[in-house]
């Protein structure tokens, strides 16, 4: 390793980094988890989606509907803790409220 090389983590031979992808899921339009999951997967990561909102389509369209998932996030993330899901990194996109920011802080 040279002095200019940046190492994010030391990767062992068969190790696959696990990423919590915290973002909305959009039904129509090339954005959000629909794009992040395949890109991060192609980079060799195990992607664990955490949907912060379900959108009919992205907000560049004149009409859209969003279902806020704030009410389920604690239970969703606590279930991961119950089965010992270890997260190496967090990718964060759309957060729908200040409450969601506080909730996702439990992801480690």
């Amino acid at each position: 390793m040279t002095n200019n090389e940046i190492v994010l983590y030391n990767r062992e031979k068969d190790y696959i980094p696990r990423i919590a992808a915290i973002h909305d899921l959009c039904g129509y339009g090339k954005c959000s988890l629909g794009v992040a999951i395949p890109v991060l997967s192609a980079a060799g990561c195990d992607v664990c989606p955490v949907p912060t909102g379900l959108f009919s389509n992205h907000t560049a369209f004149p009409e859209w509907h969003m279902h806020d998932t704030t009410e389920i996030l604690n239970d969703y993330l606590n279930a991961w803790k119950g089965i010992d899901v270890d997260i190496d990194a967090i990718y964060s996109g759309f957060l729908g409220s200040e409450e969601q920011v506080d909730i996702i802080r439990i992801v480690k």
Side-chain angles (χ1 to χ4, degrees):
M1 180 166 77
T2 67
N3 290 337
N4 295 331
E5 188 175 351
I6 297 172
V7 177
L8 299 177
Y9 60 90
N10 290 320
R11 187 173 191 166
E12 295 180 24
K13 183 180 176 185
D14 294 329
Y15 183 75
I16 299 173
R18 184 170 291 133
I19 297 179
I22 303 169
H23 208 323
D24 66 289
L25 178 59
C26 185
Y28 179 76
K30 300 285 185 205
C31 65
S32 67
L33 284 172
V35 174
I37 292 170
V39 170
L40 293 169
S41 293
C45 299
D46 177 16
V47 183
C48 303
V50 180
T52 57
L54 304 175
F55 280 82
S56 57
N57 47 276
H58 64 68
T59 59
F61 289 94
E63 294 181 33
W64 48 270
H65 175 76
M66 176 205 172
H67 176 76
D68 186 346
T69 63
T70 302
E71 289 185 20
I72 68 163
L73 285 179
N74 273 320
D75 291 338
Y76 188 101
L77 296 171
N78 283 328
W80 285 6
K81 285 186 174 211
I83 59 171
D84 296 323
V85 175
D86 291 323
I87 299 296
D88 297 302
I90 294 174
Y91 162 82
S92 179
F94 177 83
L95 297 174
S97 66
E98 288 182 38
E99 187 179 357
Q100 287 187 353
V101 175
D102 293 333
I103 292 169
I104 65 165
R105 288 183 180 170
I106 68 170
V107 178
K108 293 181 185 180

